[in-house]
């Protein structure tokens, strides 16, 4: 808050825009403003509806991306109350600690073995199995275009491809237990490369609708050797 006039508060947003909001609709933290404390390898969750990511730890830094409420990111550095992260598009940038919170448990962990790949969305439009005479080898999770996709488990990237008549932008990660996870229809090519190692919860790409797809969603497919298996077997509390 910059200034108070009666029941109105003057505020400054992360992009340096200033304006007035009516006090009835906000909660004042005057005299008790707190910046999140986190160190390298900690994870933070976006607490605001959206947060700007900038090239340097200051509002004067160039805007490189906007991240969404409840998305989770690993911290790779901290400077003057700003946290260095990798965005879903692969850019490195800083977010202001006032708009995020330290997070030690994923928003949606499924209560099972793996972490849910779209922390901001759980609604499935198509499940594993045969539907109307057609076989569906994975699950489709509806999510906003551009939203974050995270690795469901620790593993290594074994394939990255693009097929305009099939999976669109695809990345395949072989989890440490041998199961291969296929993340399909991403908005753009993942910034990861074949051979890169990932940890559960690491950002790996962006939800999109490339390839043979209708609407923004993530197609998630698990393969155990040559056999397709139902991903929901690994998320017993989902669906």
């Amino acid at each position: 808050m910059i200034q108070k006039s009666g029941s109105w508060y003057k505020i400054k947003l992360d992009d340096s825009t200033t304006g007035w909001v009516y006090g009835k609709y906000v909660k004042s933290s005057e005299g008790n403003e707190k910046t999140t404390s986190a160190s390298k390898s900690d994870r933070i969750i976006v607490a605001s509806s959206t947060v700007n990511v900038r090239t340097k730890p200051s509002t004067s830094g160039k805007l490189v991306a906007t991240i969404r409420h409840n998305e989770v990111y690993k911290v790779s550095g901290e400077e003057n109350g700003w946290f260095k992260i990798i965005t879903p598009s692969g850019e490195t940038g800083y977010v202001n600690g006032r708009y995020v919170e330290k997070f030690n448990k994923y928003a949606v962990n499924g209560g099972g073995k793996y972490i849910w790949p779209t922390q901001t969305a759980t609604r499935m439009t198509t499940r594993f199995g045969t539907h109307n005479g057609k076989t569906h080898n994975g699950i489709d999770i509806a999510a906003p275009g551009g939203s974050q996709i995270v690795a469901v488990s620790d593993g290594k990237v074994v394939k990255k491809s693009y097929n305009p008549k099939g999976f669109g932008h695809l990345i395949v990660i072989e989890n440490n237990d041998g199961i291969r996870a296929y993340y399909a229809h991403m908005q753009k090519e993942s910034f990861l490369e074949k051979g890169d190692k990932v940890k559960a919860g690491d950002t790996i790409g962006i939800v999109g609708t490339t390839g043979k797809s209708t609407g923004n969603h993530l197609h998630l497919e698990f393969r155990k050797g040559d056999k397709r298996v139902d991903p929901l077997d690994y998320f017993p509390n989902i669906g």
Side-chain angles (χ1 to χ4, degrees), residues 63-219:
L63 180 67
V64 295
T66 300
I67 55 179
R68 294 170 167 80
H69 182 63
N70 278 347
E71 291 184 344
V72 178
Y73 293 92
K74 183 169 65 176
V75 174
S76 59
E78 187 272 336
E79 188 175 343
N80 298 326
W82 291 68
F83 299 110
K84 189 176 183 181
I85 65 167
I86 296 177
T87 74
S89 295
E91 299 99 343
T92 298
Y94 292 84
V95 294
N96 193 316
R98 289 180 296 171
Y99 307 112
V100 299
E101 297 175 357
K102 188 173 179 181
F103 208 68
N104 296 316
K105 182 179 179 182
Y106 291 94
V108 184
N109 62 23
K113 188 174 183 179
Y114 288 173
I115 292 169
W116 193 250
T118 51
Q119 292 289 291
T120 57
T122 59
R123 183 174 70 87
M124 286 170 282
T125 54
T126 310
R127 300 194 181 209
F128 181 87
T130 301
H131 309 279
N132 299 319
K134 295 182 179 180
T135 299
H136 192 252
N137 292 317
I139 57 174
D140 290 345
I141 309 166
S147 57
Q148 180 191 39
I149 302 171
V150 301
V152 298
S153 180
D154 296 0
K156 181 174 71 173
V157 177
V158 294
K159 181 179 180 179
K160 187 170 74 169
S161 63
Y162 175 70
N163 182 350
K165 297 182 179 180
F167 281 149
H169 285 295
L170 168 77
I171 189 168
V172 182
I173 296 176
E174 184 171 300
N175 302 324
N176 288 349
D177 60 5
I179 290 178
R180 291 194 172 193
Y182 287 63
Y183 305 83
H185 306 307
M186 296 194 303
Q187 187 179 99
K188 61 191 296 184
E189 178 183 5
S190 174
F191 60 91
L192 295 171
E193 299 295 341
K194 186 176 179 180
D196 285 348
K197 293 183 178 181
V198 299
K199 292 287 188 181
D202 283 355
T203 302
I204 62 172
I206 301 174
V207 172
T209 183
T210 57
K212 191 177 181 181
S213 168
T214 302
N216 288 303
H217 73 283
L218 170 67
H219 174 83

Side-chain angles (χ1 to χ4, degrees), residues 2-3 8-13 16-22:
I2 299 174
Q3 181 181 346
W8 290 79
Y9 295 90
K10 188 176 184 180
I11 62 171
K12 184 177 182 180
L13 303 180
S16 297
T17 302
T18 59
W20 293 86
V21 294
Y22 187 48

